[in-house]
Amino acid sequence: MGGKNKQRTKGNVRPSSSGRAAEALTREGGVIPGFVGFDSTVTSELSYVPAVHGVEEIDNQVDADFRLVLRKLSKRDVVTRLKAVQDFGSMCQERDAEEVKGVLPYWPRIYCKISMDHDRRIREATQQAFEQLVLKVRRSLAPYLKSLMGHWILSQCDTYTPAASAACQAFQAAFSPTKQPEALSFCKDEILSVLQDILLKETADTLSDPQSVTEEEREAKYVRMLTSSLLGVKKLLSLLLPNDREALEQRLAHLVNSARFWKYSRHKTPQVRGAFFEMVGSLCEFTPGLVQAEAARLCPAVLLSIDDTDPVVLPSVWEAVLHVVSTIPDCWTHVNAKKGFLPKLWTLLKDGGKGMAKALHHNLMPLLSKLPQQVTDPSLDFYTTFFTSFIQGLSSERAHQSPSECAVIVTCVVECLRYCIMQNTEKEEDQTRIRAMLMSLQLLPLIEKALGNPSLQNGPLFLLVTEMLVSWEKRASLYSERDTDDSKNVFQVLLADFWEALGLLFVRYVDNEEADPQALEGIATLLQVSLVLAKSLFLAKKSVKICFSKPEDNEKTGVEGAGVEKPGPVLVNETAFGSLQTQHFEDVVCQLAQLCLVHVNEKNSERHLVFLSHLLRSFHTPRVFRVIEWDDKIPKEVEKDEVNLKNPALQFLLERVLVWLPEKGRRDTGHLVEMVFSSLSCCSQQETTRILNHISTDLQWGIILQIIQRVCVILFTHTVNCSDWLKGSVLGEQLLGLTEELCKVGCCSPTSTSSTSSHDWTLISLVLSQHHNNEPLIGEVYLEKILDKLHATLSETKSLSDTGNMEPLISFICDVASVFFSSVKDCLLLLPAEELLLTVFQLTAQDQTHTHLSDSLLDKLRKVCLVGVQSLIQHSEYEVKEGGFLHSAAVWVMNQLLTISLDIESLQVLVVAVQSLVETVVSVSGKDSPLLVQFFTLLTPSQVEWTRIRQALPPQVSLPIHCPYSRETTHSGTTIQMRVRIHEYTLKCTEGFLNLKQTNNNCGLCDTDVYGCLAVLLCCLNANTEIEEEVVQAILATVMEWRNSREDWFLFSSDLSKVTTERLNLTVEMIRFLSWLITCCPTVLGNNQWDFLLCSMLAWLETTSENVSSLWNPWVQLFVCENTVLIVKLNQFFASPSPDILEKLPAELMSEWTGFFVEGIYNLLLPLPVNAFTEPDDPVFPLAVLRSVGVALTYVPVQQLTQNSLPPRFIADQKTNLPEPLQTLLNTFCPLLLFKARPLQVTVYHLLEKVMPQLPECDGEGDVSKSDDDRDEPCLSPPASLMAILSTCEELCDSILAGVQVGEFAVVQSLSVEYSCILGYLLAWKLLLTFFKSSPSQNGSIMEGLALWKNNVDKRFEGIEDCMICFSVIHGSNYSLPKKACRTCKKKFHSACLYKWFTSSNKSTCPLCRETFF
């Protein structure tokens, strides 16, 4: 063609276009489309890729939209392909079936390629699109199944779970469960061909193009394909029918005969190894004959890999191990178990499974069942090593750190122990030795280890051991029924040996003066768990055997609550429960209890007393009490009455426990209280009441508190009936006397209240707050008397507070009342409770000068009142009736207003209390509640009462008050919403006038008077009070008149540092009034009024810019904030005025606003963040001003930013193509992204976000004077000032996030340097992404913008050679292009690179040709 002799570009090693096309075609399918059977590899088999028509035929046969999408699927860009796949799925769903069927001839080749794409999102979207295709074409897919099915199976085994799930869903949509084996049978040879080729032929370089795909991506795809292929074989075998599996065995034999296949068992990637062992397991399960033939390679590959503890591999390895030992009888002939398998197993067990016990240990018992004698001989040594290693795993680091891992190991140990004992139950000597070894050297040491280990105690060990003992007991009973001789069976011997050894173990720990409390607790826990579980197991298994208990058998029951009166016959007595089990338990408990009592009596051992309490809590039987009561006594020498002889538990309680309880110096009595109830469980109700009455009169209140707390627990278990004692007069009188004593002591000796009576107050709170079956815990009479006493004491606060500090007493009463109100349903139906709540409300509604209460105590009283009112409204059908709380509160408030001379502070406290009460009622019952109507009716004065109230209030308060609502104007049709609104109006008016100070009415009008009137007026206006337009115009006219007569009130051009607080507040109220006008009444403003408003706003803003040094004054801050609020409301108003309002505005107002005032506002406001604020280290930093100014700046038009009047700011050596105002804006505001105040950072972001879309349009406008070389600089470059922020913050962000893993998070303290830096970094990136999105000048996503921007840059730099110094087109720091050319070799270099080359080499020669560089 005339171009053969052309010189090729240096470095161009790419083949010709025809060669690249051929290579691409072979990579995609292995064949040239259209020629069936011509594979790229030397093989006799035809290729599985179908023949497809050429692209030119696609153009003629496929719908144009489908044709466009299919072409995009072959693009290199990931985003383009992803979007194309999604569009394809949508089109398949929306288009007609016939149109979609036209795509089918070309779909197999495309699907086989994109279903294996590098990007997992594309693979997932491909399967979702395939599902839509399947649902649309249905049976028309059948001719193409063989071409699709191989990669379809691969996709169902994708390592990316969403993609695999989507492929499975598509498969299920195509075939019902009954049709799936048939479809796979039809395509089985093609499927296996695809999988075998990947496993035996393909490599990372053949699956991906080495020239266009990185090595890392190629390797990742290869690993993924290997994993999917191995899992695909497993899936295929599991779904095929047996006949089809047999048909494939010959081809599978070819696969497993390959040496390459077996290398996957040692692959470096865990995913591949795991998939390999899963496939081997399926081969064992579905093709046993095949694996038997390959046993010589399969057995070592599986059995010698048990030390592979990678979490991905281990489960499949052990699944394969179990399959191998089950499927291949002679598997151990191919492996040296003694040297290869068992040492690895021992190491694995000693390490606790290396953190994989959950996946490993449950396989050990099945493995034990399959081990032949040749592996386990000698059995004693094998089992010794096995269980020793097993239990040693509990000491591993992972087992210590993870309770769940420890529990798994313990469970498997006990299960294996139980299995091994069951396998060795004969009387031969070797099995007897094995049983003895397992009992004495494994099980008992494990239990002993648990006694000092809380983790093992709280785990499943004790439960599992008990289940094993119960199983032995049942088997012993079965053997006893079968055997006729008197010889003991094996399980009886096991039980006897176990309990004897366990008893000796327990005695060794208990019979020690320095016994370990943790071990003692472990012994008690083991016995308790064993008893409870054994009982439940026997009841569950033997409940069908009904046996009525005999009177004499009642003393032998060993279960908790044996002394409780039964409503009917006992279903299971001691015999049914298991006499041998019960006997063992009680024998051990009695022995331990005797030892404990010896140590308590002789050594006064507290730890043994606690242990005895634990024992009796579970084993409170008459036999145990009889043994411990008479252990050191001779019955013949002591005369006992008949009652005590019949009930040793009562004797133990009277002579032992009640002697220990009041001992001096005893701090902890909780275990002794437990002993009380253990003894009472064996007593009748009459005895229980008598004993508790005796205790409540003789013991300390702290002990009684513990007893009642314990009673509250057992009320729901019914183990001891204490209701007669709780409701009785003895306890009631004692508690009432305690309450009176506490109140008396609190009044007379307040300093001792907090130190001595906390337990007593807790007791009172407990008996008041606890209810059972909707009844009080104590008698209702005594409950009301206690509430009366508390109410009376609280009512006396005013008269007693002058003589002493009542706060501790009131604080205790508050705590009791709060618990009572919040925990007892319908508690306020009791009249004393409502009276108590009223007293609390009255205390919160009175000034502290009258109550003498501290702020903290008042806060507590307010919380009590809140809880009480909520309980009043929530838990009862409450009505406002005479004598009730709401009625009494309203009457009391009216009485305060009418009869008491209130000062300003007292009135304010009263108003706040009433407002809080109303808000609480509204929050619970809503604004439509009838309670509000009734309450407001009581609160509303009559005309006469309004007059009296005005006369009673101070002059500055009463002057503007009028009567908006009275009883005479009330009628039944008044809505609740109107009443609430009028009430809010009245309250807000009152609050406004409360801010007025006392002034002399004869001194004329002053700024304080005006400020007060304006403040009250605004309170009324903000409460949506109806007001006529004429009144508003008159008020505005008055304010405008002040502009002429009292200009100093407006603070125009004033030095704010010298202005008084009152004057600033007056100006603030005027600004607020103008803001209200803009929002609510803009139509009353005429031309002059608008001029006054806008000019005043601008003058105030100018005053702000002249007084930036005064911004640290809080009153100046308020002035600035309110003016910026006015600016914001003006911006909002002029941005979108409604047509009705727009008609009434002056004709030229809009143009004046946009043409003059907007420019004036932002010329003053834009420099403010730069000039007014330093770093916010000062505690009084004006953050509120910064926030409000930031809000106002967000409304700045883009034109004001691009044509700003900021002082020029440029950076040396900064190259830019932007206009000077825009570059100044960037250089001024970009550094503020790192300002240590979040409001300013966010404001700067919003400002810069407005101009980012303008940068591409303005880029190049400022380069008119640049030379030709300079014009080679790349346009559309990111702003250098923004890139500087990223460079500054990048290192800090890296150091902060270096140790944070994916999925974790790091907490950064707000207001810290790190917080500001990270926020600025993130905001800078958002701006940069916005710039990239805007660079293509089109609508689309940021990713599309980045991609298009990159393509534009690539096109611009296409053909430009690299700089031969840095080997890059774009310089790394200044982003310039190589433009300094050598006159000899014509190569171009970056100017900065040449400068560095010349200075470092001390030569002026060309770096390439070494000629002198001119």
Side-chain angles (χ1 to χ4, degrees), residues 302-317:
V302 174
L303 296 177
L304 298 184
S305 297
I306 61 171
D307 56 343
D308 192 339
T309 56
D310 189 280
V312 177
V313 184
L314 185 139
S316 54
V317 166

Side-chain angles (χ1 to χ4, degrees), residues 585-831:
F585 277 133
E586 288 196 343
D587 288 345
V588 173
V589 171
C590 290
Q591 186 179 12
L592 297 179
Q594 287 176 328
L595 286 174
C596 288
L597 206 57
V598 170
H599 282 276
V600 171
N601 292 335
E602 295 181 359
K603 305 296 178 92
N604 198 22
S605 174
E606 188 70 16
R607 64 188 68 189
H608 285 87
L609 191 59
V610 173
F611 179 58
L612 179 60
S613 172
H614 289 324
L615 289 179
L616 294 179
R617 183 174 183 178
S618 301
F619 300 92
H620 38 256
T621 63
R623 180 189 170 196
V624 175
F625 283 115
R626 188 181 304 112
V627 170
I628 61 177
E629 178 60 22
W630 299 104
D631 63 329
D632 56 350
K633 299 179 182 179
I634 302 174
K636 294 181 181 180
E637 298 177 357
V638 182
E639 295 183 359
K640 297 291 180 181
D641 58 66
E642 185 179 355
V643 175
N644 291 341
L645 285 175
K646 287 184 177 180
N647 196 343
L650 183 59
Q651 188 73 15
F652 174 76
L653 176 59
L654 293 173
E655 297 188 359
R656 299 282 191 181
V657 181
L658 294 186
V659 174
W660 292 329
L661 269 173
E663 286 181 349
K664 292 183 179 180
R666 186 177 297 281
R667 296 181 179 178
D668 185 12
T669 56
H671 55 283
L672 293 175
V673 172
E674 288 292 342
M675 283 191 189
V676 170
F677 285 93
S678 298
S679 303
L680 292 177
S681 63
C682 295
C683 298
S684 66
Q685 183 173 355
Q686 182 180 4
E687 291 173 331
T688 299
T689 304
R690 181 160 57 89
I691 291 297
L692 291 177
N693 283 336
H694 171 68
I695 290 175
S696 61
T697 56
D698 290 348
L699 295 180
Q700 298 176 355
W701 287 112
I703 299 175
I704 297 176
L705 171 62
Q706 291 179 317
I707 292 175
I708 295 182
Q709 288 173 334
R710 181 62 179 155
V711 168
C712 293
V713 174
I714 65 176
L715 278 174
F716 302 96
T717 60
H718 306 289
T719 54
V720 178
N721 193 339
C722 305
S723 58
D724 290 346
W725 173 63
L726 291 171
K727 300 288 187 181
S729 60
V730 176
L731 180 62
E733 291 293 341
Q734 288 288 114
L735 292 173
L736 181 58
L738 174 63
T739 305
E740 294 174 348
E741 181 66 23
L742 289 173
C743 293
K744 181 179 179 181
V745 171
C747 295
C748 300
S749 181
T751 56
S752 63
T753 302
S754 58
S755 60
T756 62
S757 58
S758 59
H759 287 301
D760 303 341
W761 281 111
T762 304
L763 175 58
I764 300 299
S765 176
L766 178 65
V767 297
L768 289 179
S769 60
Q770 289 293 328
H771 271 48
H772 181 58
N773 293 334
N774 293 327
E775 293 183 359
L777 191 66
I778 62 175
E780 188 170 338
V781 175
Y782 297 102
L783 180 68
E784 294 185 1
K785 288 183 177 180
I786 292 174
L787 291 174
D788 274 332
K789 184 58 184 175
L790 296 178
H791 167 239
T793 303
L794 203 58
S795 300
E796 297 172 0
T797 301
K798 176 63 176 68
S799 60
L800 296 176
S801 58
D802 295 334
T803 60
N805 184 10
M806 294 286 295
E807 290 210 357
L809 175 61
I810 299 174
S811 179
F812 279 123
I813 295 177
C814 285
D815 294 335
V816 172
S818 179
V819 174
F820 176 67
F821 291 149
S822 60
S823 59
V824 180
K825 184 178 180 181
D826 296 335
C827 60
L828 286 157
L829 292 180
L830 299 173
L831 183 59

